[in-house]
């Protein structure tokens, strides 16, 4: 069934039909299409455009179609152009003449705009929930590792000592911002386009505020041309999902490094690893690598939609049909990556001794050694040079600053005393950093408590 055949005298070429059709992917929002139609006919009856009997027949028919699709007794087939024509054709077949009144006061333009908004809104909630599950796992790891010392890095070079809690806390903040962006998008997009018609509204006395309320929107959109041609919310969502993927990809890159033989900070669980077909010793971090790789796929969806939209005049153009397939794929990709990534880090084993040893032998306490001299009256620039000499000596001897004898310290600078070893211990270096956001345990405990409150309330 086509929704537009009256003006045409020839059948559509089969290749044209296949090229034009969207049912292979827009069937994904069959539920939203049916719920939107139920709201529409409920409003039509309220406004006296449909009788109560017509409305009840249509609603019963739509609910029956929904039930049959979900229990598998009704298959969505490809001879229909899109999900809208599939639903309408089945409705007419089931209830007859009243079914032909379903589309009164409505265009496919505002119908598809509504369906896409309803679907996207549901998916934003689902992605937000997955982000929260990930943050719960990160929060647990933080709570358990406030004294797990490790090197912090700049330029991939060991820089200063931090804790595993502090390092994971950086990603907690990233994902917190991701959730905030999703809430912003939800609030901004939560206005109903239904009743906008093809582009110029309709002469029927529709109550757009009523249908908006039935579908839990904050209200109707304010311009019918913009309503049917707006894809900003999808671009915003693809941008937000790209940022989520970027955050996971950065995290994965670190886990891949930490899981290597050279680092040995972590061991990914067998259930989230794979082996080699030829090298029996291999245990590969494939999940982390795939998440990192699939980030480009989501970026591609964003660039694709931006490119599609950049030259389109108002109002609706068929180009906009390209929004669905790539958005659906990006959403599925992000949800799958979030679920797998959460499972991977939840089952990951940490090696605190290796981390702490790496921090010591990476001279991450060198800045604290310089601060020690400053506190003993040595100008900072001189202290910087002295510690540089000591680090060079340790590198030559293949030892850490903690292992260098006191007399070697004092040969270079007599200001050193026995308490230097306490001053440059990993615990001291970290514990004395207690400004807000720093890795010291007092500061971290405050952040962990704040994170727990956030997770309970959000």
């Amino acid at each position: 069934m086509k929704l537009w055949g009256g003006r045409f005298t020839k059948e559509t070429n089969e290749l044209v039909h296949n090229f034009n059709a969207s049912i292979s992917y827009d069937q994904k929002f069959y539920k939203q299409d049916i719920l939107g139609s139920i709201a529409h006919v409920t409003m039509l009856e309220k406004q006296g455009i449909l009788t109560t009997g017509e409305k009840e027949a249509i609603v019963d028919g739509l609910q029956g179609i929904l039930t049959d699709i979900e229990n598998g007794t009704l298959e969505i087939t490809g001879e229909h152009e899109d999900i809208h024509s599939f639903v309408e054709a089945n409705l007419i077949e089931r209830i007859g003449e009243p079914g032909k009144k379903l589309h009164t006061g409505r265009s496919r333009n505002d119908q598809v705009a509504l369906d896409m908004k309803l679907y996207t809104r549901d998916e934003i909630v689902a992605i937000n929930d997955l982000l929260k599950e990930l943050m719960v796992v990160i929060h647990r790891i933080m709570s358990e590792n406030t004294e797990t010392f490790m090197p912090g890095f700049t330029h991939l070079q060991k820089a200063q000592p931090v804790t595993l809690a502090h390092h994971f806390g950086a990603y907690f903040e990233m994902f917190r911002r991701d959730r905030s962006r999703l809430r912003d998008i939800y609030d901004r997009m939560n206005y109903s386009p239904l009743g906008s018609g093809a582009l110029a509204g309709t002469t029927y006395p529709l109550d757009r505020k009523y249908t908006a309320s039935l579908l839990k929107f904050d209200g109707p959109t304010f311009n019918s041309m913009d309503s049917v041609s707006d894809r900003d919310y999808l671009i915003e969502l693809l941008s937000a999902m790209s940022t989520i993927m970027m955050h996971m990809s950065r995290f994965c890159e670190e886990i891949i490094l930490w899981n290597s033989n050279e680092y040995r900070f972590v061991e990914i669980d067998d259930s989230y690893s794979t082996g080699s077909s030829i090298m029996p010793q291999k245990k590969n971090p494939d999940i982390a690598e795939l998440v990192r790789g699939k980030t480009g796929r989501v970026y591609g969806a964003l660039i694709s939609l931006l490119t599609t939209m950049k030259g389109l005049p108002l109002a609706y153009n068929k180009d906009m049909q390209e929004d669905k397939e790539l958005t659906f794929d990006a959403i599925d990709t992000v949800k799958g990556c979030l679920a797998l990534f959460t499972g991977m880090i939840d089952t990951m084993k940490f090696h605190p001794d290796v981390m702490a040893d790496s921090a010591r032998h990476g001279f991450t306490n060198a800045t604290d050694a310089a601060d020690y001299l400053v506190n003993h009256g040595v100008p900072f620039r001189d202290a910087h040079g002295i510690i540089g000499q000591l680090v060079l000596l340790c590198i030559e001897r293949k030892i850490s600053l903690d292992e260098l004898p006191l007399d070697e310290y004092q040969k270079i600078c007599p200001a050193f005393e026995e308490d230097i070893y306490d001053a440059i211990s990993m615990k001291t270096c970290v514990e004395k950093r207690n400004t807000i956001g720093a890795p010291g345990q007092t500061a971290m405990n405050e952040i962990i408590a704040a994170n727990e409150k956030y997770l309970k309330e959000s």
Side-chain angles (χ1 to χ4, degrees), residues 342-378:
T342 300
M344 181 181 68
I345 67 166
D346 193 31
T347 56
M348 203 159 54
K349 181 180 179 183
F350 299 98
H351 298 146
D353 292 344
V354 177
M355 291 181 182
D357 191 57
S358 177
R360 281 192 298 272
H361 285 87
F363 306 105
T364 60
N365 49 3
T367 303
D368 297 87
D371 290 342
Y372 172 91
L373 288 178
V374 171
N375 291 328
H376 285 71
V378 179

Side-chain angles (χ1 to χ4, degrees), residues 239-251:
S239 177
M241 290 193 298
S242 294
T243 306
I244 291 169
M245 291 299 296
M246 179 266 289
H247 290 155
M248 277 196 289
S249 184
R250 293 182 71 183
F251 211 160

Side-chain angles (χ1 to χ4, degrees), residues 376-388:
H376 285 71
V378 179
F380 177 78
R381 189 51 55 204
D382 292 340
H384 188 283
I386 291 166
I387 300 305

Side-chain angles (χ1 to χ4, degrees), residues 275-316:
S276 165
S277 63
I278 188 172
M279 297 167 283
Q281 83 281 9
K282 293 292 293 297
K283 183 178 176 182
N284 300 325
D286 280 15
I287 297 303
E289 291 172 348
L290 278 170
V291 171
R292 187 177 61 182
K294 287 179 181 292
T295 299
R297 184 178 185 136
V298 178
Y299 288 4
L302 170 61
I303 298 303
S304 179
L305 186 55
L306 282 168
T307 305
T308 297
M309 295 299 297
K310 75 177 183 64
L312 297 186
L314 291 174
Y316 180 79

Side-chain angles (χ1 to χ4, degrees), residues 374-433:
V374 171
N375 291 328
H376 285 71
V378 179
F380 177 78
R381 189 51 55 204
D382 292 340
H384 188 283
I386 291 166
I387 300 305
Q389 293 178 59
L390 290 168
V391 168
L392 185 59
L393 179 61
C394 288
I395 291 172
E396 291 170 353
R397 297 188 180 184
K398 297 182 180 179
I399 59 175
S400 66
L401 285 170
D402 311 62
E403 297 165 321
L404 186 69
L406 181 60
D407 63 325
E408 298 289 351
Y409 276 99
Q410 293 175 335
K411 283 179 186 177
I412 295 178
C413 180
F416 285 111
E417 299 175 9
E418 189 69 40
D419 61 350
I420 180 60
Y421 297 106
D422 179 61
I424 63 171
S425 73
M426 291 297 110
K427 185 174 179 64
T428 301
C429 291
V430 170
E431 288 301 321
K432 65 186 179 184
R433 287 176 162 81

